[in-house]
Amino acid sequence: MTSLADLRVIDAATLFAGPSAAMMLGDFGADVIKIEHPRRGDPSRGHGASVNGVGLWWKTLSRNKRTAAVDLSREEGQEILRRLAEGSDVLIENFRPGTLERWNLAPDELMKLNPRLIVARMTGFGQTGPMARQPGFGTLAEAMSGFAAMTGQPDGPPTLPPLALADGIAGLAMSYAIMVAVHARERTGRGQVIDMAIIEPILGLLGPQMTAYKALGVVPRRTGNRSSSNAPRNTYRTRDGRWLAISTSAQPIAERVITLVGRPDLVEQPWFATGHGRVQHVDELDEAVGSWIAERDAAEVIARFEEVQAAVAPIYDVTDLAEDPQYAALGTFVELPDEELGSLTMQNVMFRLSHTPGEIRWPGRSLGRDTDEVLAELDYTGERIAALREAGVIA
């Protein structure tokens, strides 16, 4: 049994945030139907590394989804979406505000056909406001949220992440919002519209920056790998050239680390009793920890930290991930058969449920792989499907 086997989701979004939400629902059994343009496909097909022209990002992002290629700008394509919406639970879309309305697919019109439908709208800036109709991507959210301003070295420029961070956070938030709406529907019998702006969820992970600004006038500054809330917290290089990260967010951990590195005298200082106090003496603490680590190989440092139950981790790249025994024990990566590439390894579902576990049933499929099957379920005849394909409405 899978948790969401009774849920049908239409993924009419593109690139990362909306499709990520749909992927997470599909991981736990939802029947996700991915709608793409018949000739262009989802732009994520062309992102990142590829094998024989087949995008690997697409393979992960669109796993567990059936793919149907439908031109929603055409009247016949709009009719297909209406018929899909009649029998679906969720529609995820990220067109610019006003686009669905222009295509006669406005949420209120779709919900007349299916009052239980949940329409999840994912855009850069939301459905209202002066920027609503502007193109929005995760990069802009990382810039406008304050993330880039507080990321990077103190004497360096604002720094953007090397991945679709804001999109991923918004995808997680949208999957949560959808399940909240599904739960509410069980009580009310009615669907609703979700309006999510990619610029907002990332704000929630940046801490109380606005609260501190309004209360104290605090403007976050770049601290590199240090923390503005506790110390020592940094990356440190070992004698054999490895990089390690440590965290001392909990007071007992901070005490153990500083005692381990031979400076118990610092623990006795009044300022050491709080994270805020330790931050005021971060240079002294970093010097104590950094010099101790620099005199030892990584294996010894990790062993000594583990002996005193202090938090330490090696800085990994993907080659380390592939060999790590903890990830192997968790089953974090799985190898899957693939229709186009033979087999693929990708990260597994994000968490484990004891009774209704998730599963990757198949990687992302080729463009239009399931169009005929999906239309047949809507009672389109073979002749009608062939005519739509000849007219370029579907692929």
Side-chain angles (χ1 to χ4, degrees):
M1 178 183 175
T2 52
S3 305
L4 304 179
D6 59 343
L7 206 67
R8 171 168 282 189
V9 178
I10 307 168
D11 175 7
T14 56
L15 289 173
F16 305 115
S20 292
M23 178 197 76
M24 294 170 203
L25 301 176
D27 281 350
F28 286 89
D31 175 18
V32 180
I33 300 173
K34 173 69 180 179
I35 303 295
E36 299 179 80
H37 192 279
R39 291 166 291 283
R40 296 192 296 270
D42 190 305
S44 66
R45 288 184 178 273
H47 275 255
S50 64
V51 176
N52 300 326
V54 179
L56 300 182
W57 205 328
W58 164 262
K59 285 292 180 181
T60 297
L61 185 64
S62 292
R63 66 196 194 192
N64 293 332
K65 300 178 185 180
R66 294 195 286 167
T67 59
V70 180
D71 188 345
L72 297 180
S73 69
R74 302 274 295 274
E75 184 177 343
E76 301 93 334
Q78 295 156 13
E79 178 58 26
I80 291 172
L81 188 69
R82 289 189 197 95
R83 294 178 66 170
L84 271 174
E86 285 185 275
S88 295
D89 298 281
V90 182
L91 166 64
I92 302 174
E93 64 93 10
N94 70 339
F95 299 104
R96 290 196 202 184
T99 301
L100 284 187
E101 288 77 2
R102 189 172 70 251
W103 289 343
N104 300 311
L105 296 170
D108 58 345
E109 294 300 322
L110 296 176
M111 293 169 74
K112 288 178 183 176
L113 301 173
N114 178 5
R116 292 175 58 83
L117 183 67
I118 295 162
V119 181
R121 314 194 79 171
M122 178 80 82
T123 57
F125 305 107
Q127 297 294 314
T128 58
M131 297 184 69
R133 293 180 180 270
Q134 294 188 25
F137 297 95
T139 297
L140 307 189
E142 290 144 14
M144 293 179 62
S145 64
F147 174 87
M150 66 174 68
T151 304
Q153 295 300 321
D155 57 350
T159 302
L160 296 167
L163 72 164
L165 180 64
D167 287 291
I169 294 170
L172 280 165
M174 181 59 89
S175 65
Y176 168 66
I178 289 169
M179 296 316 301
V180 170
V182 169
H183 182 73
R185 189 180 66 181
E186 295 306 305
R187 299 173 59 190
T188 67
R190 295 167 47 205
Q192 58 185 303
V193 177
I194 300 168
D195 174 11
M196 182 169 292
I198 297 174
I199 59 173
E200 290 186 300
I202 188 173
L203 284 168
L205 299 190
L206 296 180
Q209 61 169 342
M210 183 59 69
T211 306
Y213 173 68
K214 290 293 187 178
L216 301 169
V218 173
V219 177
R221 58 185 179 86
R222 291 188 286 284
T223 59
N225 290 318
R226 290 174 168 176
S227 169
S228 60
S229 301
N230 70 86
R233 187 265 201 179
N234 212 326
T235 60
Y236 307 90
R237 196 169 192 178
T238 64
R239 182 170 59 190
D240 55 349
R242 294 297 303 270
W243 286 93
L244 304 178
I246 73 167
S247 173
T248 57
S249 295
Q251 182 67 23
I253 300 293
E255 294 173 3
R256 292 171 198 163
V257 169
I258 298 304
T259 301
L260 173 65
V261 302
R263 293 299 306 274
D265 57 299
L266 296 178
V267 178
E268 302 302 321
Q269 299 298 317
W271 52 262
F272 196 90
T274 66
H276 178 74
R278 296 196 303 275
V279 168
Q280 310 311 309
H281 297 264
V282 64
D283 290 336
E284 187 175 5
L285 293 171
D286 263 350
E287 171 59 27
V289 174
S291 60
W292 186 88
I293 289 177
E295 295 172 353
R296 293 161 174 82
D297 290 345
E300 179 187 351
V301 174
I302 292 172
R304 296 286 298 278
F305 266 68
E306 290 177 348
E307 286 174 6
V308 300
Q309 299 184 41
V312 65
I315 304 293
Y316 275 177
D317 64 20
V318 71
T319 62
D320 300 303
L321 294 176
E323 303 297 330
D324 183 77
Q326 180 61 33
Y327 284 121
L330 293 173
T332 303
F333 301 101
V334 293
E335 186 170 351
L336 304 163
D338 181 72
E339 293 177 344
E340 295 177 289
L341 300 178
S343 67
L344 286 171
T345 298
M346 67 177 62
Q347 62 268 28
N348 208 340
V349 299
M350 288 187 178
F351 49 86
R352 288 156 293 281
L353 297 180
S354 59
H355 296 301
T356 57
E359 179 188 15
I360 303 175
R361 303 183 298 283
W362 61 79
R365 291 174 161 176
S366 58
L367 181 65
R369 159 70 166 70
D370 305 292
T371 302
D372 289 18
E373 177 180 279
V374 169
L375 293 188
E377 291 172 359
L378 300 176
D379 295 327
Y380 280 75
T381 65
E383 292 79 7
R384 180 60 176 154
I385 292 172
L388 290 170
R389 182 166 285 115
E390 177 67 23
V393 176
I394 64 172

